Amino acid sequence: MRPNFLHPGRLLKESIQIYNSWCFTPKKVTILRGPLTFDGWYPRDHKPGPYPTTEEERRSAAIKYGLRPEDYRPIDQNDVVRYAGDYPELGTITYDHKDPYEAWTDRQNRRNWGEMVPISMMRYRGDRLTFTGLEAEDFTTWGSIIICLRVLVPMILLSWYFCRDDPNALRWKNPAMPKQYPYDFYRAFPFDDPRKYPITNYSFDLAE
């Protein structure tokens, strides 16, 4: 009787089928992306276009950015700093103004997937000092002076300790005199004979 075993090719095929059944295929990833899952959507489709001048262009821009036409308002063309074509004016909603207990998709920036960001988002990130002004109540003049002294005083003391004239003080390197040469090569440079400029060097060794 023939032994009951699977052919290696069939075994490999079944293993691949099992793997594909639970792994993230491109189709599954597309389904899990969120609201922007219609065919043909790419990030380049959300690049700002020209400023809308007609009602039809306004409606088209609102649909592109996922906004209702009555809520869509482009950034003012006269704002030379923030103007970006048909990009919408979303106002200013800072990091501190968002609920910290919300189940954000991006907890670090308190953003959800597909959420529009203001044109000046980088100005209102979570690593800023204050947005609401509540933290500013803790500021005092003496508090800021103490913070500066906590840095400056150790620097001054360390500089004095390592730079004082005491020969027994700790140095970055041991002091050493320059090497002695029999002739003054600097005076002879570049074309003269250095033997014309001898140097008298003294030593503390006893004369023989």
Side-chain angles (χ1 to χ4, degrees):
M1 295 179 61
R2 296 180 59 185
N4 186 13
F5 66 92
L6 293 176
H7 190 272
R10 182 181 176 185
L11 181 61
L12 178 61
K13 183 178 180 181
E14 292 184 357
S15 300
I16 294 175
Q17 290 176 350
I18 295 174
Y19 173 78
N20 290 334
S21 64
W22 61 265
C23 71
F24 285 103
T25 60
K27 183 177 180 180
K28 290 184 179 180
V29 173
T30 305
I31 294 174
L32 296 174
R33 285 175 61 189
L36 302 176
T37 59
F38 50 86
D39 296 335
W41 182 88
Y42 295 95
R44 65 170 179 266
D45 296 335
H46 275 193
K47 291 178 61 177
Y51 188 85
T53 56
T54 63
E55 185 64 25
E56 186 64 27
E57 292 178 351
R58 289 187 72 261
R59 293 182 62 87
S60 177
I63 294 173
K64 180 176 73 170
Y65 292 111
L67 301 174
R68 296 187 302 178
E70 55 269 23
D71 295 336
Y72 172 75
R73 181 168 60 91
I75 299 175
D76 187 9
Q77 286 182 298
N78 297 324
D79 191 345
V80 296
V81 176
R82 302 172 64 250
Y83 171 68
D86 63 352
Y87 200 81
E89 174 64 72
L90 301 174
T92 301
I93 302 176
T94 66
Y95 178 87
D96 283 351
H97 290 116
K98 294 185 177 181
D99 186 4
Y101 302 104
E102 178 71 26
W104 302 103
T105 306
D106 180 6
R107 293 180 180 273
Q108 181 177 358
N109 298 305
R110 293 182 184 174
R111 286 188 60 234
N112 287 324
W113 169 257
E115 178 184 348
M116 292 291 296
V117 295
I119 195 68
S120 56
M121 174 195 174
M122 299 302 291
R123 188 184 302 173
Y124 304 105
R125 300 195 307 268
D127 58 352
R128 299 306 182 190
L129 177 61
T130 178
F131 299 113
T132 60
L134 298 178
E135 293 86 348
E137 298 176 358
D138 299 332
F139 173 81
T140 59
T141 303
W142 277 108
S144 61
I145 293 175
I146 291 174
I147 291 176
C148 294
L149 292 178
R150 287 170 60 183
V151 178
L152 295 177
V153 170
M155 291 176 60
I156 294 173
L157 292 177
L158 289 174
S159 300
W160 169 81
Y161 183 77
F162 286 110
C163 299
R164 56 185 175 154
D165 296 332
D166 186 359
N168 297 321
L170 181 63
R171 303 289 181 182
W172 295 112
K173 62 180 181 179
N174 293 327
M177 293 293 292
K179 188 175 181 179
Q180 297 178 345
Y181 293 95
Y183 306 106
D184 193 347
F185 293 94
Y186 287 101
R187 292 182 62 187
F189 183 83
F191 303 114
D192 208 348
D193 187 359
R195 288 175 293 183
K196 295 181 181 179
Y197 310 100
I199 298 177
T200 302
N201 296 314
Y202 299 93
S203 173
F204 293 98
D205 298 334
L206 296 177
E208 296 180 356

